[in-house]
């Protein structure tokens, strides 16, 4: 029985591949009719405003200006006036009190409305207005910031974020690295007061709707308590800690040799690493130049090949509007236009208007990123059907979106795929499998990433919104968590006039949700393990999705559900088990033995 047949059978038995049906069709009590009328009216009022707000946010992110920021504020305020109106809050509260009389789809939509109202309750209109304005100002300050590097020869450079990343990836001069690393943190100064103001406003709104703080409000989207979420994330960190510790020791000694320096006894200096936050450690695996096959390629090729990956599995070509409306390549500095430097995918109207904001260049990093971002785009398109109500056009949970994007990023780095499309250099093909496992553990969303996502970001934001971090100790609290979870130390004491946490865009504009990426990482390996073993019948470390329509069918049957089903049930029915890090740990098992041999005789020093 192939996967499509299995899903058909499972749909009959358990509902996978099929949307939930309304219970008791033909016998619905009057309250169901009342809820249906309310939902129809709500969507009719909310959706056009939400689309206009998405357009305004797109303009503010792709062409930073005071006018676009002002338009973003106005459009956001219009949405909040509808979604947080006292009438909406009263009706949703009353309907959910009778949830046992409603069907599953109705309850799920009402819960989405409740959580959306908690972001902007009309019972606190002045606070809502202040939050919209503060977030727009924070976004404009972030997107318009100009980095400055003062060089040893007295010259001054204003590098782009891409330029800073390139220096940290390639430079072997510790003084130069320190200069660029310090420059990357300067943005925290103008963002510091703004993030404190936003914390207070976000907490006011969440508490006004009965949540303990803003972090608790965001966690509620999973149907979990804060303690449950923290325990889940700490469990992920604990499961990868043995391998992370081995990677930490190996990387520390590799970097010391590279820079001609003494290996530190304990933590790794932050400016030694090739990522501004140490969330991944690219460039450490030498001898395989993954960028070589892209020389001579264009940025356009990179995105077009990402689309071909999906169409080879039976997905449709992207809408033409994607190509005309997206902002895919670096802004031309001659024009003076400034744009957000963080890659993202956008679902403007919850229908077919899908876009991506990137700054693609022809290299392996943007190759992976393009595959990832199109994962979001194809997810949007898969659930934008009449069968999925607009309010449930979202991932099974927020992490599913990241999990799917990361899954395709993982698949895009598999050697059989790269070889088939002519992007595997001969030395990469001949390299031992351990080389690629090491690269994946260091560079991708996996072993090095989890202590950052499930540890540093999740714990800091929890502490920040719960009041455990004093206003005059933001950097102290941040670096405490970085040291605890990542074993990374700042190159010198960090002044409290800065806010190093706010240099990460998510702290400002995607707050209290970074555990989505941690959960998405675990989902990625769980889905990948199932696809490789059960559909492709291939080694999960050396497999190829390209051209396999059964893989595409498996993915579409998950994606098309949107948020109409319980997320853990969807995962269990698709893979045979609920959320588990077991496939992730198993994927890297051969690497652990190799690292133990490599590290023999080298002092670790962290964790102490």
């Amino acid at each position: 029985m192939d996967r499509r047949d299995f899903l058909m059978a499972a749909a009959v038995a358990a509902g996978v591949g099929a949307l939930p049906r309304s219970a008791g069709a033909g016998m619905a009590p009057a309250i169901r009719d009342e809820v249906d009328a309310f939902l129809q009216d709500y969507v009719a009022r909310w959706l056009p405003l939400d689309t206009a707000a998405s357009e305004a946010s797109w303009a503010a992110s792709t062409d930073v200006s005071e006018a676009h920021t002002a338009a973003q504020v106005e459009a956001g305020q219009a949405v909040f006036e509808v979604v947080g109106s006292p009438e909406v809050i009263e009706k949703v509260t009353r309907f959910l009190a009778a949830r046992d009389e409603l069907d599953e789809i109705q309850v799920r939509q009402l819960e989405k409305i409740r959580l959306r109202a908690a972001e902007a309750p009309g019972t606190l209109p002045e606070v809502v207005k202040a939050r919209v304005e503060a977030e727009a100002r924070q976004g404009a300050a972030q997107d318009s910031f100009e980095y400055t590097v003062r060089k040893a020869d007295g010259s001054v450079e204003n590098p782009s974020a891409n330029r800073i990343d390139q220096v940290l990836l390639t430079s072997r001069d510790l003084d130069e690295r320190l200069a660029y690393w310090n420059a990357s943190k300067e943005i925290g100064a103008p963002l510091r007061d703004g993030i404190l103001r936003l914390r207070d406003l976000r907490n006011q709104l969440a508490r006004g709707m009965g949540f303990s703080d803003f972090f608790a409000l965001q966690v509620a989207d999973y149907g979990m308590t804060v303690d449950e979420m923290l325990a889940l994330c700490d469990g992920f960190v604990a499961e990868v800690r043995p391998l992370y510790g081995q990677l930490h020791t190996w990387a520390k000694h590799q970097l010391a040799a590279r820079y001609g320096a003494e290996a530190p006894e304990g933590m790794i200096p932050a400016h030694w690493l090739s990522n501004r936050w140490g969330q991944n450690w690219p460039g450490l695996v030498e001898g395989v130049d993954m960028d070589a096959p892209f020389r001579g390629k264009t940025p356009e090729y990179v995105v077009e090949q990402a689309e071909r990956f999906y169409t080879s599995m039976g997905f449709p070509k992207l809408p033409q509007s994607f190509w005309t409306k997206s902002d895919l390549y670096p802004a031309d500095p001659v024009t003076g236009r400034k744009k957000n430097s963080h890659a993202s995918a956008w679902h403007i109207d919850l229908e077919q208007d899908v876009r991506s904001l990137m700054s693609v260049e022809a290299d392996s990093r943007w190759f992976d990123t393009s595959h990832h971002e199109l994962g979001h785009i194809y997810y949007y398109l898969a659930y934008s059907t009449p069968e999925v109500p607009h309010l449930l056009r979202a991932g099974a949970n927020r992490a599913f979106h990241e999990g799917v994007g990361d899954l395709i990023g993982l698949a895009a780095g598999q050697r059989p795929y790269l070889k088939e499309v002519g992007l595997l250099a001969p030395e990469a093909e001949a390299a031992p499998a351990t080389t690629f496992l090491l690269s994946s553990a260091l560079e991708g969303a996996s072993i090095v990433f989890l202590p950052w996502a499930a540890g540093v970001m999740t714990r800091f934001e929890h502490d920040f919104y719960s009041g455990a971090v004093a206003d005059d100790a933001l950097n102290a609290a941040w670096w405490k968590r970085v040291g605890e979870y990542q074993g990374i130390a700042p190159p010198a004491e960090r002044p409290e006039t800065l806010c190093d946490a706010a240099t990460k865009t998510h702290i400002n504009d995607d707050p209290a949700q970074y555990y989505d990426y941690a959960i998405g990482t675990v989902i990625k390996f769980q889905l990948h393990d199932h696809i490789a073993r059960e559909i492709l019948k291939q080694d999960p470390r050396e497999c190829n999705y390209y051209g396999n329509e059964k893989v595409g069918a498996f993915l579409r049957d998950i994606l098309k559900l949107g948020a109409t089903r319980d997320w853990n049930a969807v995962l269990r029915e698709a893979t045979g088990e609920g959320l588990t890090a077991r496939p992730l740990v198993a994927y890297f098992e051969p690497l652990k033995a190799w690292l133990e041999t490599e590290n023999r005789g080298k002092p670790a020093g962290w964790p102490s």
Side-chain angles (χ1 to χ4, degrees):
M1 178 183 295
D2 69 17
R3 188 66 195 173
R4 190 182 296 273
D5 293 334
F6 171 80
L7 283 163
M8 186 72 73
V12 175
V16 151
L19 303 179
R21 297 182 179 182
S22 299
M27 300 180 291
I31 192 171
R32 291 189 190 171
D33 293 336
E34 188 180 357
V35 167
D36 280 341
F38 166 74
L39 292 171
Q40 185 175 355
D41 176 67
Y42 178 93
V43 171
R45 290 185 294 137
W46 154 71
L47 187 56
L49 295 173
D50 190 71
T51 301
S54 294
E55 287 279 15
S57 294
W58 174 263
S61 295
T62 56
D63 188 6
V64 180
S65 70
E66 289 185 8
H68 285 155
T69 299
Q72 181 185 19
V73 169
E74 184 178 354
Q77 186 64 38
V79 173
F80 285 164
E81 286 175 4
V82 169
V83 303
S85 75
E87 178 192 6
V88 165
I89 294 171
E90 183 277 323
K91 287 187 176 181
V92 166
T93 303
R94 177 166 60 86
F95 291 146
L96 286 174
R99 66 171 64 228
D100 291 345
E101 300 179 58
L102 306 177
D103 65 45
E104 181 183 356
I105 289 290
Q106 289 179 319
V107 171
R108 287 186 175 280
Q109 292 178 88
L110 291 171
E111 285 288 2
K112 293 292 185 186
I113 294 173
R114 181 179 78 94
L115 293 175
R116 193 173 274 118
E119 298 273 1
T123 49
L124 297 167
E126 294 307 311
V127 182
V128 172
K129 183 173 185 247
R131 177 190 170 182
V132 173
E133 292 172 348
E135 287 184 335
R137 285 196 301 271
Q138 191 81 343
Q142 177 180 251
D143 295 345
S144 63
F145 185 79
E146 193 169 77
Y147 297 101
T148 301
V149 173
R150 293 164 182 84
K151 299 187 175 183
D153 63 4
S155 63
V156 174
E157 179 188 353
N158 297 118
S160 66
N162 275 1
R163 167 67 178 157
I164 291 174
D165 291 341
Q166 188 63 25
V167 170
L168 293 178
L169 180 65
T170 60
S171 175
R172 300 196 173 206
D173 181 330
L174 283 177
D175 290 337
E176 180 183 42
R177 298 184 64 82
L178 180 60
Y180 279 84
W181 186 89
N182 279 330
S184 78
K185 302 304 175 187
E186 288 177 357
I187 190 173
L191 296 176
R192 189 182 189 282
D193 289 346
I195 197 61
L196 288 170
R197 172 72 169 148
L198 281 170
R199 176 202 59 194
D200 295 342
L201 293 170
R202 289 163 177 165
N203 274 344
Q204 275 186 268
L205 296 175
R207 288 167 182 157
M209 288 294 287
F211 294 91
S212 59
D213 56 43
F214 184 75
F215 189 89
L217 166 61
Q218 298 306 314
V219 168
D221 192 52
Y222 284 82
M224 299 170 70
T225 66
V226 168
D227 286 345
E228 288 169 339
M229 179 60 76
L230 294 177
L232 179 70
C233 289
D234 282 347
F236 294 157
V237 174
E239 288 198 71
V240 302
R241 176 58 70 91
L243 181 52
Y244 183 83
Q246 293 288 342
L247 286 166
H248 188 278
T249 299
W250 180 86
K252 178 167 56 180
H253 289 276
Q254 287 290 119
L255 289 168
R258 175 179 292 186
Y259 304 137
E262 288 288 326
E265 290 186 5
M267 294 189 277
I268 299 174
H271 69 299
W272 282 27
L273 294 166
S274 48
N275 176 273
R276 284 174 269 167
W277 305 278
Q279 69 183 62
N280 47 41
W281 304 345
L284 270 169
V285 182
E286 297 182 340
V288 177
D289 182 2
M290 298 303 291
D291 287 337
F294 292 92
R295 293 187 186 113
K297 303 287 188 185
T298 65
E300 290 78 9
Y301 165 84
V302 170
V303 186
E304 290 163 2
Q305 178 55 40
E307 181 193 34
R308 283 191 289 272
F309 180 87
Y310 291 90
T311 57
S312 79
M313 296 187 294
F315 285 88
K317 289 180 73 66
L318 292 168
Q320 184 58 34
S321 60
F322 170 84
W323 301 103
T324 57
K325 293 184 175 182
S326 290
D327 191 334
L328 299 172
Y329 310 109
D332 185 347
V334 174
T335 67
R337 179 173 71 95
K338 294 180 179 178
K339 59 186 275 192
N340 189 303
S341 62
H342 182 73
S344 55
W346 298 61
H347 199 184
I348 299 293
D349 62 354
L350 296 182
E351 293 287 353
Q352 299 298 302
D353 189 350
V354 291
R355 308 176 193 176
S356 183
L357 171 58
M358 295 192 279
S359 296
V360 178
E361 297 181 4
D363 58 32
S364 61
R365 179 172 75 91
W366 280 108
F367 184 76
D368 290 347
T369 299
S370 296
H371 282 70
H372 172 107
E373 294 305 330
L374 292 198
H376 292 297
I377 298 295
Y378 276 105
Y379 206 158
Y380 297 150
L381 294 171
Y383 56 59
S384 294
T385 65
E387 290 76 24
V388 178
H390 284 91
L391 285 162
L392 300 180
R393 293 185 183 179
N397 60 31
R398 291 196 310 262
F400 255 83
H401 250 293
E402 289 307 317
V404 169
D406 281 350
L407 171 69
I408 304 305
L410 176 64
Q414 298 280 311
R415 284 194 286 187
Y417 166 55
L418 294 172
K419 182 176 181 179
E420 183 169 345
V421 298
L423 294 174
L424 186 66
E427 64 268 24
E429 185 174 1
T434 348
T435 300
F436 281 84
L437 279 180
L438 182 61
S439 178
S440 180
L442 294 169
E443 299 181 14
S446 58
I447 304 301
V448 164
F449 180 71
L450 273 178
W452 156 259
V456 175
M457 286 291 285
T458 296
R459 279 289 177 174
F460 177 82
E461 289 200 284
H462 166 262
D463 296 346
F464 184 61
Y465 286 102
S466 68
V469 177
D471 289 5
D472 61 356
L474 297 182
N475 267 352
W478 174 255
W479 286 100
K480 176 180 180 290
R481 291 302 190 187
V482 171
E484 175 186 357
Y485 284 101
Q486 292 179 286
I488 298 171
E493 187 174 345
R494 303 297 295 159
E496 289 297 340
T497 53
L498 300 176
C499 180
D500 292 341
T503 68
K504 188 64 181 170
T505 184
H506 302 75
I507 296 283
N508 302 290
D509 55 28
D510 194 11
Q513 297 182 3
Y514 209 86
Y515 45 82
D516 291 357
Y517 296 95
I519 296 171
T521 295
V522 174
I523 290 172
K524 165 182 68 176
F525 280 97
Q526 191 166 342
L527 292 175
H528 177 73
D529 187 78
H530 182 87
I531 288 169
R533 296 182 189 281
E534 302 301 326
I535 300 177
L536 297 172
K537 311 296 183 185
Q538 296 171 7
D539 182 344
R541 304 170 195 92
E542 296 277 357
C543 66
N544 188 4
Y545 296 13
Y546 196 63
N548 193 300
E549 294 195 358
K550 288 184 179 180
V551 174
F554 170 78
L555 291 173
R556 283 195 302 278
D557 280 327
I558 295 172
L559 307 188
K560 73 181 184 183
L561 298 174
T564 62
R565 298 281 316 283
D566 173 73
W567 63 269
N568 215 7
V570 170
L571 191 60
R572 183 179 295 108
E573 292 162 8
T575 67
E577 53 188 336
L579 184 67
T580 173
R582 179 195 56 76
L584 184 157
V585 174
Y587 186 90
F588 291 101
E589 192 60 37
L591 179 62
K592 187 168 179 287
W594 181 86
L595 283 168
E596 288 169 350
T597 300
E598 288 288 308
N599 289 337
R600 195 168 293 140
K602 296 175 182 174
W606 185 90
S608 57

